[in-house]
Amino acid sequence: DIQMTQSPSTLSASVGDRVTITCRASQSINNWLAWYQQKPGKAPKFLIYKASSLEDGVPSRFSGSGSGTEFTLTISSLQPDDFATYYCQQYNSYPITFGQGTRLEIK
Amino acid sequence: EVQLVQSGGGLIQPGGSLRLSCAASGLPVSGNFMTWVRQAPGKGLEWVSDIHTDGTTYYADSVKGRFTISRDNSKNTLYLQVNSLRVEDTAVYYCATSFALVPLHAFDFWGQGTMVTVSS
C-alpha cells in the first residue's frame, strides 16, 4: 500500500499569510494526487487534481505542485474561509489512500 | 447538477448489519466509477470500496469479506451492505464519484455523509 504522510499536522497562521502543506508518498504516484478541504460536519471539498490542476470554481490563491513522491498545497493569502483541515489523496493505485490531514487554525 | 443523497446508517450492535444508500442525480451510477469513503470520529479519511462501470469491485482489507458494494441502475442508487459490524467500523460514511471515466480518480462529488455507530 502507498502511505501518504502530510506535514505539519497542525498549522497556525493569520489572515493574509502564505502557507504551504506538504504531502509525501511512500513511492512514486505519477502525479495522481488530489487535495481536499474539509470543515467540521461537512463532506470534503475537491480542490486540486493531478497534483497541480485547480478544480473549477476554486479560488486562484490555492495552488498545487510537486512530482514523484513530494507534493505541496500552497494558499497564497489566507482568507477567513480557508481555516479548515486539508487532506491529500493518491489515486495511482489501489488501495486509494489519504494523508492523515493538516489542520489549519487561526493564530 | 450532480447530487448524491445518502440514507441508511444509525446505531447498531456489534455483529449487526446495515445497508447504506446513495441516490444519484445528474449522472448514471452505471456509467461512473463509484466509491465509498469513511471517516471515524475525529480521524482522517479512509477509502472503503469502489465499483467500476463493468461491475468489478474493490475493497479495503479492513472490510473485505464483510462489506459489499452494489448498485441498482433502475434506481440510480449505490449501496454498501455492511455486515459483521465492529466497534471500529463506527464512522461517517460518504459516497463519492467523479466525471472522470477512469477507474482511479479524484472525487469531484460527495454525498452528505451518513453516520454508522457500532456499540452495545
Side-chain angles (χ1 to χ4, degrees):
Chain A
D1 298 4
I2 298 175
Q3 308 302 317
M4 306 299 291
T5 304
Q6 288 182 233
S7 60
S9 295
T10 305
L11 181 56
S12 297
S14 301
V15 172
D17 284 353
R18 177 185 179 92
V19 299
T20 297
I21 298 168
T22 298
C23 178
R24 290 186 174 88
S26 59
Q27 63 190 75
S28 176
I29 57 172
N30 299 304
N31 292 5
W32 297 117
L33 183 101
W35 289 98
Y36 301 87
Q37 176 194 71
Q38 188 180 35
K39 296 184 178 179
K42 300 294 186 182
K45 176 186 175 184
F46 184 36
L47 298 176
I48 287 170
Y49 61 98
K50 208 171 180 190
S52 60
S53 296
L54 204 63
E55 171 69 347
D56 289 346
V58 174
S60 58
R61 63 181 180 273
F62 290 90
S63 63
S65 65
S67 63
T69 62
E70 186 154 337
F71 303 88
T72 59
L73 172 70
T74 298
I75 309 173
S76 60
S77 178
L78 275 173
Q79 300 302 301
D81 191 51
D82 300 338
F83 292 94
T85 300
Y86 293 84
Y87 294 94
C88 62
Q89 173 221 341
Q90 69 82 16
Y91 52 104
N92 180 74
S93 63
Y94 283 114
I96 292 167
T97 46
F98 292 86
Q100 81 279 16
T102 294
R103 183 181 171 216
L104 178 54
E105 60 181 29
I106 300 173
K107 186 185 289 185
Chain B
E1 181 192 5
V2 174
Q3 280 198 314
L4 301 175
V5 179
Q6 297 183 230
S7 59
L11 174 62
I12 190 82
Q13 291 188 335
S17 298
L18 280 175
R19 189 177 77 163
L20 310 182
S21 300
C22 172
S25 58
L27 56 74
V29 296
S30 61
N32 285 75
F33 298 85
M34 304 295 295
T35 298
W36 288 97
V37 173
R38 69 183 180 182
Q39 186 170 36
K43 303 297 184 182
L45 301 166
E46 179 188 16
W47 172 79
V48 172
S49 182
D50 271 15
I51 185 166
H52 287 190
T53 52
D54 65 359
T56 304
T57 57
Y58 295 81
Y59 297 95
D61 285 347
S62 59
V63 307
K64 203 172 293 182
R66 301 187 298 122
F67 290 12
T68 303
I69 190 171
S70 64
R71 64 188 180 219
D72 183 330
N73 298 340
S74 67
K75 295 181 178 178
N76 208 33
T77 298
L78 176 73
Y79 299 103
L80 186 69
Q81 178 70 38
V82 297
N83 297 333
S84 303
L85 281 163
R86 304 167 180 168
V87 171
E88 55 266 34
D89 294 319
T90 295
V92 175
Y93 286 73
Y94 295 101
C95 58
T97 191
S98 170
F99 277 143
L101 298 179
V102 291
L104 287 155
H105 53 82
F107 305 118
D108 309 45
F109 307 108
W110 295 72
Q112 82 277 17
T114 188
M115 184 72 203
V116 173
T117 303
V118 185
S119 175
S120 54

